[in-house]
Amino acid sequence: MITAVHEAARDTIEVGAAAGAYPVFVGPDLLDQLPAVLSAYASAHRVAVISDDEVGPIHGASVARRLVDAGHEVTFLTFPAGEASKTRKSWSILTDDMLKAGLGRDCVVVAVGGGVTTDLAGFVAATYLRGVPVVHVPTSTLAMIDASVGGKTGVDVHAGKNLVGAFHAPSAVVVDTTVLATLERARRAEGLVEALKHGAIRDEAHFSMVMERTESLVAAEPMTCAEVVAASVRLKAEIVAQDEFEGGVRQMLNFGHTIGHAIEAAADYRIGHGRAVACGMIAEARLGEGLGITETGTAARLSEALAPLTDRGRVDVDGTRARQALAADKKSRDGRPRFVLLRRIGEVARDVGWTHEVDDDTAHAVLDAVVGGW
């Protein structure tokens, strides 16, 4: 059966992890292969399918039916859609629901949805009965390219984003690019910000490829999406395999996220992750240029690439809260934020490690400037 999965996928990427490598299957029309994937990589009779209340009726229910037809006993759980649900309260409710259903350590969690779902359901799986397997079925561009791969799970708290969580690698990831057609065009576009980020930190050719194919990607052309998603996952997999627990090189994946996460927190997560990270990438490129670290013109190139993907206008945030969130960022040391800075498109600048300490006045200045629009 697993041979059929490999044949059906356009690409299969192996991602290294301490608990063992896991596959990411990428291609159109892969949802039918999910029962075979579970059988091969996360065998369990009982399955908890977790989705939000927007994706759930469309794709979560479809996944649940496929698994029931394949002989699995399925508990189907949903939570309110949106970043505002990525909380300890939601984690507690989902965990309690699984306990009420009598799911034991021989169950598997199947996360069906975008980045919020992969983070939240992954954290449920990481902590439920001290850890059960999880299989990700990402349904958004963002989740396919980034959130479903790498094993980061967690929830947001008042102090900031993703400050409570765990590393818990999935057993497998099934990326069906056909489902992107059900997303709003704007959400497909914003999700591509992470693909551009992968190119910006690691591979200029990938950055250019995403720029050149933006229209086909935003239009959700399945094979183009499969090609770009697979290429982006490969870049991330190379980094994760070297540093699964973010002690070194994996920190480069946070380019744009120090300021991006501060903006999200200050806006109470009313703006999309893609837009926030786009602001962060522009701001952190300007920061690097101002410090003489980043090649002049890098911010302009990023702006050109990001413009078709997200709103460039003013971001409605509380400036004081954004500065406080900067200090609470998980990369901060002694209350000082640290930033991933580029040398140029395709290359991160090294300091003592992979991040740079910047004085508060300079950091606050670029933050204030970018929320006014870029």
Side-chain angles (χ1 to χ4, degrees):
M1 288 178 67
I2 200 59
T3 301
V5 178
H6 285 278
E7 290 176 350
R10 182 195 182 279
D11 287 280
T12 302
I13 302 100
E14 293 288 325
V15 183
Y22 58 91
V24 180
F25 299 103
V26 182
D29 302 312
L30 288 185
L31 288 185
D32 285 339
Q33 304 298 326
L34 186 58
V37 171
L38 259 64
S39 178
Y41 296 99
S43 182
H45 176 63
R46 304 191 69 185
V47 181
V49 174
I50 298 179
S51 192
D52 69 39
D53 60 6
E54 291 181 359
V55 174
I58 305 169
H59 300 303
S62 174
V63 164
R65 284 194 301 271
R66 284 174 167 88
L67 295 175
V68 169
D69 290 346
H72 293 282
E73 183 180 326
V74 175
T75 299
F76 184 30
L77 304 174
T78 62
F79 61 91
E83 188 78 29
S85 288
K86 207 175 88 175
T87 62
R88 285 174 288 194
K89 181 178 179 181
S90 295
W91 165 84
S92 177
I93 291 170
L94 290 167
T95 301
D96 286 346
D97 286 345
M98 288 176 64
L99 290 168
K100 289 174 187 175
L103 296 172
R105 295 199 69 187
D106 57 348
C107 75
V108 60
V109 171
V110 175
V112 184
V116 170
T117 300
T118 56
D119 282 0
L120 177 57
F123 189 43
V124 169
T127 52
Y128 186 73
L129 303 180
R130 296 195 175 95
V132 297
V134 62
V135 171
H136 289 311
V137 183
T139 61
S140 71
T141 319
L142 171 64
M144 291 178 181
I145 287 168
D146 193 60
S148 65
V149 178
K152 279 188 179 181
T153 74
V155 295
D156 306 329
V157 295
H158 181 72
K161 183 165 178 169
N162 297 328
L163 296 184
V164 175
F167 289 95
H168 188 63
S171 297
V173 182
V174 178
V175 178
D176 184 342
T177 52
T178 308
V179 306
L180 290 172
T182 63
L183 271 185
E184 295 176 0
R185 182 182 175 90
R187 288 192 63 196
R188 290 198 296 265
E190 275 203 17
L192 292 169
V193 170
E194 291 284 356
L196 282 172
K197 181 204 73 178
H198 289 157
I201 64 172
R202 195 73 169 180
D203 187 339
E204 186 176 11
H206 182 71
F207 183 88
S208 298
M209 178 175 71
V210 177
M211 282 190 70
E212 291 164 3
R213 302 185 188 184
T214 291
E215 185 52 43
S216 293
L217 293 166
V218 174
E221 198 288 309
M223 289 306 291
T224 303
C225 289
E227 180 182 6
V228 171
V229 167
S232 216
V233 169
R234 280 196 185 90
L235 288 175
K236 183 168 183 179
E238 290 171 3
I239 296 168
V240 170
Q242 297 175 58
D243 179 24
E244 183 178 1
F245 303 113
E246 203 173 33
V249 66
R250 185 170 178 171
Q251 293 171 9
M252 70 166 61
L253 289 167
N254 288 310
F255 173 59
H257 285 60
T258 302
I259 285 177
H261 282 173
I263 290 171
E264 283 185 283
D268 289 321
Y269 306 105
R270 293 187 307 271
I271 66 172
H273 179 70
R275 186 182 181 201
V277 171
C279 290
M281 289 166 66
I282 297 295
E284 291 172 27
R286 290 175 179 170
L287 181 60
E289 289 185 31
L291 295 171
I293 294 171
T294 303
E295 185 178 87
T296 301
T298 299
R301 284 190 68 189
L302 285 167
S303 180
E304 179 187 4
L306 290 165
L309 302 180
T310 188
D311 185 359
R312 302 173 65 177
R314 179 174 180 79
V315 181
D316 183 19
V317 299
D318 182 309
T320 299
R321 284 190 62 192
R323 296 186 191 99
Q324 291 171 342
L326 266 186
D329 185 86
K330 60 183 182 292
K331 296 179 295 302
S332 294
R333 298 293 181 270
D334 298 322
R336 282 281 184 86
R338 297 188 65 86
F339 298 86
V340 177
L341 301 178
L342 300 181
R343 180 72 62 199
R344 59 184 65 83
I345 297 294
E347 182 184 354
V348 169
R350 293 289 303 271
D351 190 26
V352 176
W354 293 94
T355 60
H356 301 250
E357 183 176 311
V358 176
D359 68 86
D360 289 343
D361 289 343
T362 303
H364 293 167
V366 294
L367 170 62
D368 292 344
V370 80
V371 298
W374 47 271

